[in-house]
Amino acid sequence: MKIPRAALLAAVMAIALPGYVDAAGRSCESLLTVATLENATVTLAEVVPAGGFRAPGAAATAQNASRFSALPAFCRVAATLRPSADSDIKVEIWLPASGWNGKFEAVGNGGWAGTISYPAMAQALARGYATASTDTGHSTPGGSFALGHPEKLTDYAYRSEHEMTVKAKAVINAFYGNAPARSYFNGCSTGGRQALTEASRFPDDFDGIIAGAAANPKTHLDTWRIWMGLQTLKDPETRIPREKYPAIHQAVLAACDARDGLKDGLISDPPSCHFDPQVLACKESDGPACLTPKQVHSVKTILGPAKTSTGEVIFPSYQPGTELAWGLLIGGPEPYDTALDQFRYMVFDDPKWDWRTFDVDRDMAKADEKLKGLLSAIDPKSLNAFFTRGGKLLTYQGWSDQDISPLASVNFYKSMPAAVGDATVSSSMRLFMVPGMGHCGGGEGPNTFDMMVPLEQWVEQGQAPTRITASHSTNGKVDRTRPLCAYPQVARYNGTGSIDEAENFTCRLP
Ligand SMILES: [Ca+2]
């Protein structure tokens, strides 16, 4: 008896794939055999019961465990993507087992990546999104992955995010029988650079993009980070000991806190604050509350931009208010490791390269040449295609960012009108600066906020965000809320009511 091939196949699948449903909605396990993924192997497809996810490696912290234990049931898919012979890109795609909101939220990475961003995936999944993250093509810490592996560097620079997005959309379509109605990208730091890179290179991937504290231009950023170290660490006498940071911070607040109209421990418009560290000059012997002449000079230097020998600005500076977190770039004994790795492994191809030999003019030019189109500056004009098809770009950065000068986001935003026109910026891009927030979070200012809802309202209902409420918590309890305002507006106190409640503030030009 001749059995039709299709019937035979269906019978085999029903046996091999427990929980197989039908074409409208496949079982999670059936995704193992999704054959439409080019240059990719699905390595895992299993249902994770509610609260059942256990993160591997560094993501297995107590804080994350409580976040994961609150997750609903989902279909967990893992895959390895090989767009080049040397590629080894790990991705995970999480699909809500029920209550899918019909949308896709991809999440970004930090630093040199090398891990799946499980906590950010959990946040997206908990809100009903199908979500995806990639390790960007390597699983080692730092930048050593790039040494002798140009294809892996390409994967890190832009290819892994795009490949992940294409594959995730295919898996979502296979699982639910529908493509996502909307697709969003949400990232900060390296994730911010990934966000801008996606908008620039792959304008069709996302409908809305959140780019926080974008590490852009990366080649200049890492030059600045090393320059910060060179100014303060090469000569032991120019070093500013960590125990002096609080005194400097207090002196900055004394000079500038009230200038924005409200003494609240925060500087709302740091570029208008002009702090002279000479006020802290030691009058008698050296101590934690004063600065030696060389230290006064160091503070002055790092509060100004890094420049080439001909005076061209390489990258903007730290802003007043950031002092408590200066240790990241100038705490010593060496400049910031993340920045050194770019030059060791991607510019000089020499793990033993000595930062003391760094020459700003010569070595930044070499970085720009070698990393052109990978980690060099993102051209503001290149975002036009994304904007033209209706894409919305929401950017933000903390004014007290200790890792990437906050003026990086401001300068990029300011460069947009000349590149794409005022009308396009007005309809497609916003910047929200966050007083007192550190790098992608933390700090003394209100540092917890939701950019996804405002972005969705913009993309889906055409309502551009003007004001987003942020909160600050101490020991898990909210003790201050404050509006974030669309740049160049800042939050101004109305003059009555609690200064810890957002409703008593209005967004105005400074
Ligand atoms: Ca203030």
Side-chain angles (χ1 to χ4, degrees), residues 162-194:
H162 174 61
E163 290 290 322
M164 170 191 83
T165 302
V166 170
K167 303 309 194 247
K169 287 182 180 178
V171 168
I172 289 167
N173 199 10
F175 186 62
Y176 297 112
N178 283 307
R182 302 285 187 186
S183 296
Y184 297 104
F185 187 91
N186 189 358
C188 193
S189 193
T190 283
R193 186 189 59 77
Q194 292 167 329

PDB file of all heavy atoms in Angstrom, residues 162-194:
ATOM      1  N   HIS A 162      22.354  41.751  13.450  1.00  0.00           N
ATOM      2  CA  HIS A 162      21.455  41.642  12.292  1.00  0.00           C
ATOM      3  C   HIS A 162      21.057  40.180  12.045  1.00  0.00           C
ATOM      4  O   HIS A 162      19.870  39.882  11.830  1.00  0.00           O
ATOM      5  CB  HIS A 162      22.133  42.218  11.055  1.00  0.00           C
ATOM      6  CG  HIS A 162      21.355  42.017   9.801  1.00  0.00           C
ATOM      7  ND1 HIS A 162      20.087  42.551   9.625  1.00  0.00           N
ATOM      8  CD2 HIS A 162      21.627  41.316   8.676  1.00  0.00           C
ATOM      9  CE1 HIS A 162      19.627  42.193   8.435  1.00  0.00           C
ATOM     10  NE2 HIS A 162      20.534  41.442   7.843  1.00  0.00           N
ATOM     11  N   GLU A 163      22.042  39.287  12.071  1.00  0.00           N
ATOM     12  CA  GLU A 163      21.743  37.858  11.854  1.00  0.00           C
ATOM     13  C   GLU A 163      20.764  37.354  12.919  1.00  0.00           C
ATOM     14  O   GLU A 163      19.825  36.612  12.614  1.00  0.00           O
ATOM     15  CB  GLU A 163      23.032  37.036  11.903  1.00  0.00           C
ATOM     16  CG  GLU A 163      23.953  37.276  10.714  1.00  0.00           C
ATOM     17  CD  GLU A 163      23.380  36.712   9.415  1.00  0.00           C
ATOM     18  OE1 GLU A 163      22.769  35.624   9.457  1.00  0.00           O
ATOM     19  OE2 GLU A 163      23.531  37.363   8.378  1.00  0.00           O
ATOM     20  N   MET A 164      21.008  37.756  14.163  1.00  0.00           N
ATOM     21  CA  MET A 164      20.104  37.373  15.254  1.00  0.00           C
ATOM     22  C   MET A 164      18.678  37.844  14.959  1.00  0.00           C
ATOM     23  O   MET A 164      17.707  37.101  15.148  1.00  0.00           O
ATOM     24  CB  MET A 164      20.584  37.996  16.561  1.00  0.00           C
ATOM     25  CG  MET A 164      19.603  37.863  17.714  1.00  0.00           C
ATOM     26  SD  MET A 164      20.074  38.892  19.140  1.00  0.00           S
ATOM     27  CE  MET A 164      19.388  40.488  18.640  1.00  0.00           C
ATOM     28  N   THR A 165      18.564  39.075  14.487  1.00  0.00           N
ATOM     29  CA  THR A 165      17.244  39.664  14.243  1.00  0.00           C
ATOM     30  C   THR A 165      16.498  38.910  13.146  1.00  0.00           C
ATOM     31  O   THR A 165      15.311  38.575  13.282  1.00  0.00           O
ATOM     32  CB  THR A 165      17.419  41.150  13.872  1.00  0.00           C
ATOM     33  OG1 THR A 165      18.097  41.801  14.944  1.00  0.00           O
ATOM     34  CG2 THR A 165      16.088  41.826  13.619  1.00  0.00           C
ATOM     35  N   VAL A 166      17.200  38.619  12.058  1.00  0.00           N
ATOM     36  CA  VAL A 166      16.579  37.888  10.940  1.00  0.00           C
ATOM     37  C   VAL A 166      16.114  36.509  11.411  1.00  0.00           C
ATOM     38  O   VAL A 166      14.978  36.084  11.128  1.00  0.00           O
ATOM     39  CB  VAL A 166      17.584  37.770   9.771  1.00  0.00           C
ATOM     40  CG1 VAL A 166      17.064  36.825   8.705  1.00  0.00           C
ATOM     41  CG2 VAL A 166      17.878  39.155   9.184  1.00  0.00           C
ATOM     42  N   LYS A 167      16.985  35.807  12.131  1.00  0.00           N
ATOM     43  CA  LYS A 167      16.654  34.445  12.585  1.00  0.00           C
ATOM     44  C   LYS A 167      15.526  34.468  13.624  1.00  0.00           C
ATOM     45  O   LYS A 167      14.637  33.622  13.620  1.00  0.00           O
ATOM     46  CB  LYS A 167      17.876  33.754  13.187  1.00  0.00           C
ATOM     47  CG  LYS A 167      19.109  33.644  12.287  1.00  0.00           C
ATOM     48  CD  LYS A 167      18.819  33.069  10.922  1.00  0.00           C
ATOM     49  CE  LYS A 167      20.092  32.654  10.199  1.00  0.00           C
ATOM     50  NZ  LYS A 167      20.379  33.460   9.009  1.00  0.00           N
ATOM     51  N   ALA A 168      15.585  35.452  14.522  1.00  0.00           N
ATOM     52  CA  ALA A 168      14.549  35.531  15.567  1.00  0.00           C
ATOM     53  C   ALA A 168      13.174  35.747  14.942  1.00  0.00           C
ATOM     54  O   ALA A 168      12.192  35.117  15.333  1.00  0.00           O
ATOM     55  CB  ALA A 168      14.875  36.653  16.551  1.00  0.00           C
ATOM     56  N   LYS A 169      13.127  36.610  13.935  1.00  0.00           N
ATOM     57  CA  LYS A 169      11.831  36.858  13.282  1.00  0.00           C
ATOM     58  C   LYS A 169      11.307  35.585  12.616  1.00  0.00           C
ATOM     59  O   LYS A 169      10.098  35.306  12.642  1.00  0.00           O
ATOM     60  CB  LYS A 169      11.967  37.981  12.255  1.00  0.00           C
ATOM     61  CG  LYS A 169      12.103  39.365  12.891  1.00  0.00           C
ATOM     62  CD  LYS A 169      12.195  40.439  11.814  1.00  0.00           C
ATOM     63  CE  LYS A 169      12.319  41.824  12.419  1.00  0.00           C
ATOM     64  NZ  LYS A 169      12.451  42.866  11.387  1.00  0.00           N
ATOM     65  N   ALA A 170      12.215  34.791  12.034  1.00  0.00           N
ATOM     66  CA  ALA A 170      11.800  33.540  11.390  1.00  0.00           C
ATOM     67  C   ALA A 170      11.283  32.545  12.423  1.00  0.00           C
ATOM     68  O   ALA A 170      10.277  31.858  12.199  1.00  0.00           O
ATOM     69  CB  ALA A 170      12.976  32.940  10.612  1.00  0.00           C
ATOM     70  N   VAL A 171      11.946  32.466  13.569  1.00  0.00           N
ATOM     71  CA  VAL A 171      11.520  31.537  14.619  1.00  0.00           C
ATOM     72  C   VAL A 171      10.174  31.980  15.205  1.00  0.00           C
ATOM     73  O   VAL A 171       9.288  31.156  15.460  1.00  0.00           O
ATOM     74  CB  VAL A 171      12.613  31.439  15.716  1.00  0.00           C
ATOM     75  CG1 VAL A 171      12.075  30.724  16.954  1.00  0.00           C
ATOM     76  CG2 VAL A 171      13.846  30.713  15.172  1.00  0.00           C
ATOM     77  N   ILE A 172      10.018  33.291  15.402  1.00  0.00           N
ATOM     78  CA  ILE A 172       8.739  33.821  15.918  1.00  0.00           C
ATOM     79  C   ILE A 172       7.605  33.447  14.954  1.00  0.00           C
ATOM     80  O   ILE A 172       6.551  32.956  15.359  1.00  0.00           O
ATOM     81  CB  ILE A 172       8.825  35.357  16.086  1.00  0.00           C
ATOM     82  CG1 ILE A 172       9.754  35.710  17.259  1.00  0.00           C
ATOM     83  CG2 ILE A 172       7.442  35.976  16.294  1.00  0.00           C
ATOM     84  CD1 ILE A 172      10.160  37.182  17.314  1.00  0.00           C
ATOM     85  N   ASN A 173       7.869  33.637  13.670  1.00  0.00           N
ATOM     86  CA  ASN A 173       6.867  33.317  12.650  1.00  0.00           C
ATOM     87  C   ASN A 173       6.531  31.826  12.670  1.00  0.00           C
ATOM     88  O   ASN A 173       5.365  31.427  12.575  1.00  0.00           O
ATOM     89  CB  ASN A 173       7.413  33.735  11.280  1.00  0.00           C
ATOM     90  CG  ASN A 173       6.317  33.868  10.248  1.00  0.00           C
ATOM     91  OD1 ASN A 173       5.137  33.830  10.590  1.00  0.00           O
ATOM     92  ND2 ASN A 173       6.694  33.989   8.992  1.00  0.00           N
ATOM     93  N   ALA A 174       7.560  30.986  12.818  1.00  0.00           N
ATOM     94  CA  ALA A 174       7.334  29.540  12.836  1.00  0.00           C
ATOM     95  C   ALA A 174       6.536  29.117  14.062  1.00  0.00           C
ATOM     96  O   ALA A 174       5.673  28.247  13.979  1.00  0.00           O
ATOM     97  CB  ALA A 174       8.679  28.809  12.805  1.00  0.00           C
ATOM     98  N   PHE A 175       6.812  29.728  15.193  1.00  0.00           N
ATOM     99  CA  PHE A 175       6.177  29.299  16.448  1.00  0.00           C
ATOM    100  C   PHE A 175       4.726  29.753  16.536  1.00  0.00           C
ATOM    101  O   PHE A 175       3.837  28.992  16.892  1.00  0.00           O
ATOM    102  CB  PHE A 175       6.979  29.847  17.634  1.00  0.00           C
ATOM    103  CG  PHE A 175       6.494  29.352  18.974  1.00  0.00           C
ATOM    104  CD1 PHE A 175       6.522  27.989  19.288  1.00  0.00           C
ATOM    105  CD2 PHE A 175       6.022  30.233  19.934  1.00  0.00           C
ATOM    106  CE1 PHE A 175       6.089  27.524  20.527  1.00  0.00           C
ATOM    107  CE2 PHE A 175       5.584  29.781  21.180  1.00  0.00           C
ATOM    108  CZ  PHE A 175       5.620  28.417  21.474  1.00  0.00           C
ATOM    109  N   TYR A 176       4.511  31.027  16.217  1.00  0.00           N
ATOM    110  CA  TYR A 176       3.155  31.582  16.392  1.00  0.00           C
ATOM    111  C   TYR A 176       2.324  31.547  15.107  1.00  0.00           C
ATOM    112  O   TYR A 176       1.126  31.788  15.138  1.00  0.00           O
ATOM    113  CB  TYR A 176       3.229  33.034  16.876  1.00  0.00           C
ATOM    114  CG  TYR A 176       3.872  33.212  18.234  1.00  0.00           C
ATOM    115  CD1 TYR A 176       5.097  33.839  18.361  1.00  0.00           C
ATOM    116  CD2 TYR A 176       3.236  32.747  19.396  1.00  0.00           C
ATOM    117  CE1 TYR A 176       5.686  34.021  19.609  1.00  0.00           C
ATOM    118  CE2 TYR A 176       3.821  32.917  20.644  1.00  0.00           C
ATOM    119  CZ  TYR A 176       5.041  33.557  20.744  1.00  0.00           C
ATOM    120  OH  TYR A 176       5.619  33.730  21.972  1.00  0.00           O
ATOM    121  N   GLY A 177       3.000  31.304  13.958  1.00  0.00           N
ATOM    122  CA  GLY A 177       2.279  31.387  12.693  1.00  0.00           C
ATOM    123  C   GLY A 177       2.078  32.821  12.232  1.00  0.00           C
ATOM    124  O   GLY A 177       1.342  33.088  11.287  1.00  0.00           O
ATOM    125  N   ASN A 178       2.748  33.762  12.907  1.00  0.00           N
ATOM    126  CA  ASN A 178       2.678  35.186  12.548  1.00  0.00           C
ATOM    127  C   ASN A 178       4.036  35.846  12.765  1.00  0.00           C
ATOM    128  O   ASN A 178       4.698  35.555  13.768  1.00  0.00           O
ATOM    129  CB  ASN A 178       1.707  35.939  13.469  1.00  0.00           C
ATOM    130  CG  ASN A 178       0.269  35.674  13.112  1.00  0.00           C
ATOM    131  OD1 ASN A 178      -0.133  35.832  11.970  1.00  0.00           O
ATOM    132  ND2 ASN A 178      -0.493  35.253  14.099  1.00  0.00           N
ATOM    133  N   ALA A 179       4.385  36.724  11.859  1.00  0.00           N
ATOM    134  CA  ALA A 179       5.563  37.563  12.096  1.00  0.00           C
ATOM    135  C   ALA A 179       5.207  38.579  13.170  1.00  0.00           C
ATOM    136  O   ALA A 179       4.032  38.890  13.360  1.00  0.00           O
ATOM    137  CB  ALA A 179       5.963  38.273  10.806  1.00  0.00           C
ATOM    138  N   PRO A 180       6.194  39.112  13.894  1.00  0.00           N
ATOM    139  CA  PRO A 180       5.862  40.147  14.883  1.00  0.00           C
ATOM    140  C   PRO A 180       5.251  41.371  14.216  1.00  0.00           C
ATOM    141  O   PRO A 180       5.691  41.786  13.139  1.00  0.00           O
ATOM    142  CB  PRO A 180       7.213  40.488  15.531  1.00  0.00           C
ATOM    143  CG  PRO A 180       8.259  39.957  14.617  1.00  0.00           C
ATOM    144  CD  PRO A 180       7.635  38.811  13.864  1.00  0.00           C
ATOM    145  N   ALA A 181       4.208  41.919  14.864  1.00  0.00           N
ATOM    146  CA  ALA A 181       3.550  43.109  14.307  1.00  0.00           C
ATOM    147  C   ALA A 181       4.482  44.314  14.362  1.00  0.00           C
ATOM    148  O   ALA A 181       4.447  45.179  13.495  1.00  0.00           O
ATOM    149  CB  ALA A 181       2.269  43.404  15.092  1.00  0.00           C
ATOM    150  N   ARG A 182       5.323  44.373  15.412  1.00  0.00           N
ATOM    151  CA  ARG A 182       6.311  45.451  15.562  1.00  0.00           C
ATOM    152  C   ARG A 182       7.590  44.851  16.118  1.00  0.00           C
ATOM    153  O   ARG A 182       7.549  43.898  16.900  1.00  0.00           O
ATOM    154  CB  ARG A 182       5.840  46.515  16.549  1.00  0.00           C
ATOM    155  CG  ARG A 182       4.526  47.167  16.211  1.00  0.00           C
ATOM    156  CD  ARG A 182       4.671  48.163  15.079  1.00  0.00           C
ATOM    157  NE  ARG A 182       3.413  48.890  14.885  1.00  0.00           N
ATOM    158  CZ  ARG A 182       3.222  49.737  13.899  1.00  0.00           C
ATOM    159  NH1 ARG A 182       4.180  49.946  13.011  1.00  0.00           N
ATOM    160  NH2 ARG A 182       2.068  50.369  13.788  1.00  0.00           N
ATOM    161  N   SER A 183       8.708  45.459  15.736  1.00  0.00           N
ATOM    162  CA  SER A 183       9.997  44.998  16.245  1.00  0.00           C
ATOM    163  C   SER A 183      10.753  46.186  16.832  1.00  0.00           C
ATOM    164  O   SER A 183      10.819  47.257  16.227  1.00  0.00           O
ATOM    165  CB  SER A 183      10.820  44.353  15.123  1.00  0.00           C
ATOM    166  OG  SER A 183      10.164  43.193  14.649  1.00  0.00           O
ATOM    167  N   TYR A 184      11.320  45.950  18.026  1.00  0.00           N
ATOM    168  CA  TYR A 184      12.037  47.008  18.744  1.00  0.00           C
ATOM    169  C   TYR A 184      13.421  46.524  19.157  1.00  0.00           C
ATOM    170  O   TYR A 184      13.618  45.331  19.421  1.00  0.00           O
ATOM    171  CB  TYR A 184      11.253  47.426  19.999  1.00  0.00           C
ATOM    172  CG  TYR A 184       9.900  48.014  19.681  1.00  0.00           C
ATOM    173  CD1 TYR A 184       8.725  47.280  19.865  1.00  0.00           C
ATOM    174  CD2 TYR A 184       9.804  49.306  19.173  1.00  0.00           C
ATOM    175  CE1 TYR A 184       7.480  47.818  19.561  1.00  0.00           C
ATOM    176  CE2 TYR A 184       8.559  49.852  18.861  1.00  0.00           C
ATOM    177  CZ  TYR A 184       7.412  49.112  19.058  1.00  0.00           C
ATOM    178  OH  TYR A 184       6.177  49.646  18.746  1.00  0.00           O
ATOM    179  N   PHE A 185      14.347  47.475  19.245  1.00  0.00           N
ATOM    180  CA  PHE A 185      15.675  47.178  19.778  1.00  0.00           C
ATOM    181  C   PHE A 185      15.897  48.062  20.990  1.00  0.00           C
ATOM    182  O   PHE A 185      15.579  49.253  20.971  1.00  0.00           O
ATOM    183  CB  PHE A 185      16.781  47.434  18.751  1.00  0.00           C
ATOM    184  CG  PHE A 185      18.137  46.972  19.224  1.00  0.00           C
ATOM    185  CD1 PHE A 185      18.575  45.683  18.939  1.00  0.00           C
ATOM    186  CD2 PHE A 185      18.955  47.807  19.977  1.00  0.00           C
ATOM    187  CE1 PHE A 185      19.813  45.241  19.392  1.00  0.00           C
ATOM    188  CE2 PHE A 185      20.199  47.370  20.438  1.00  0.00           C
ATOM    189  CZ  PHE A 185      20.627  46.086  20.143  1.00  0.00           C
ATOM    190  N   ASN A 186      16.479  47.489  22.043  1.00  0.00           N
ATOM    191  CA  ASN A 186      16.682  48.210  23.298  1.00  0.00           C
ATOM    192  C   ASN A 186      18.074  47.902  23.826  1.00  0.00           C
ATOM    193  O   ASN A 186      18.357  46.770  24.204  1.00  0.00           O
ATOM    194  CB  ASN A 186      15.602  47.762  24.302  1.00  0.00           C
ATOM    195  CG  ASN A 186      15.595  48.606  25.557  1.00  0.00           C
ATOM    196  OD1 ASN A 186      16.415  49.519  25.726  1.00  0.00           O
ATOM    197  ND2 ASN A 186      14.666  48.299  26.449  1.00  0.00           N
ATOM    198  N   GLY A 187      18.968  48.901  23.811  1.00  0.00           N
ATOM    199  CA  GLY A 187      20.318  48.648  24.295  1.00  0.00           C
ATOM    200  C   GLY A 187      20.964  49.887  24.875  1.00  0.00           C
ATOM    201  O   GLY A 187      20.570  51.014  24.568  1.00  0.00           O
ATOM    202  N   CYS A 188      21.976  49.682  25.734  1.00  0.00           N
ATOM    203  CA  CYS A 188      22.717  50.791  26.337  1.00  0.00           C
ATOM    204  C   CYS A 188      24.207  50.473  26.297  1.00  0.00           C
ATOM    205  O   CYS A 188      24.593  49.306  26.392  1.00  0.00           O
ATOM    206  CB  CYS A 188      22.250  50.992  27.783  1.00  0.00           C
ATOM    207  SG  CYS A 188      22.815  52.566  28.499  1.00  0.00           S
ATOM    208  N   SER A 189      25.025  51.508  26.146  1.00  0.00           N
ATOM    209  CA  SER A 189      26.488  51.366  26.086  1.00  0.00           C
ATOM    210  C   SER A 189      26.887  50.694  24.769  1.00  0.00           C
ATOM    211  O   SER A 189      26.565  51.219  23.705  1.00  0.00           O
ATOM    212  CB  SER A 189      26.994  50.588  27.305  1.00  0.00           C
ATOM    213  OG  SER A 189      28.380  50.691  27.428  1.00  0.00           O
ATOM    214  N   THR A 190      27.488  49.504  24.811  1.00  0.00           N
ATOM    215  CA  THR A 190      27.692  48.783  23.554  1.00  0.00           C
ATOM    216  C   THR A 190      26.338  48.554  22.887  1.00  0.00           C
ATOM    217  O   THR A 190      26.214  48.646  21.667  1.00  0.00           O
ATOM    218  CB  THR A 190      28.413  47.447  23.828  1.00  0.00           C
ATOM    219  OG1 THR A 190      29.801  47.740  24.052  1.00  0.00           O
ATOM    220  CG2 THR A 190      28.286  46.474  22.672  1.00  0.00           C
ATOM    221  N   GLY A 191      25.326  48.305  23.707  1.00  0.00           N
ATOM    222  CA  GLY A 191      23.968  48.147  23.176  1.00  0.00           C
ATOM    223  C   GLY A 191      23.464  49.410  22.487  1.00  0.00           C
ATOM    224  O   GLY A 191      22.696  49.338  21.523  1.00  0.00           O
ATOM    225  N   GLY A 192      23.894  50.564  22.959  1.00  0.00           N
ATOM    226  CA  GLY A 192      23.552  51.824  22.300  1.00  0.00           C
ATOM    227  C   GLY A 192      24.234  51.934  20.948  1.00  0.00           C
ATOM    228  O   GLY A 192      23.633  52.397  19.967  1.00  0.00           O
ATOM    229  N   ARG A 193      25.493  51.485  20.892  1.00  0.00           N
ATOM    230  CA  ARG A 193      26.197  51.469  19.602  1.00  0.00           C
ATOM    231  C   ARG A 193      25.536  50.469  18.661  1.00  0.00           C
ATOM    232  O   ARG A 193      25.353  50.739  17.464  1.00  0.00           O
ATOM    233  CB  ARG A 193      27.681  51.118  19.796  1.00  0.00           C
ATOM    234  CG  ARG A 193      28.504  51.225  18.507  1.00  0.00           C
ATOM    235  CD  ARG A 193      29.916  50.665  18.648  1.00  0.00           C
ATOM    236  NE  ARG A 193      29.926  49.274  19.034  1.00  0.00           N
ATOM    237  CZ  ARG A 193      29.667  48.259  18.212  1.00  0.00           C
ATOM    238  NH1 ARG A 193      29.398  48.476  16.948  1.00  0.00           N
ATOM    239  NH2 ARG A 193      29.659  47.011  18.654  1.00  0.00           N
ATOM    240  N   GLN A 194      25.174  49.304  19.192  1.00  0.00           N
ATOM    241  CA  GLN A 194      24.467  48.320  18.361  1.00  0.00           C
ATOM    242  C   GLN A 194      23.161  48.919  17.836  1.00  0.00           C
ATOM    243  O   GLN A 194      22.793  48.692  16.671  1.00  0.00           O
ATOM    244  CB  GLN A 194      24.168  47.057  19.190  1.00  0.00           C
ATOM    245  CG  GLN A 194      25.416  46.269  19.578  1.00  0.00           C
ATOM    246  CD  GLN A 194      25.123  45.213  20.639  1.00  0.00           C
ATOM    247  OE1 GLN A 194      24.243  45.386  21.487  1.00  0.00           O
ATOM    248  NE2 GLN A 194      25.869  44.116  20.603  1.00  0.00           N
TER     249      GLN A 194
END
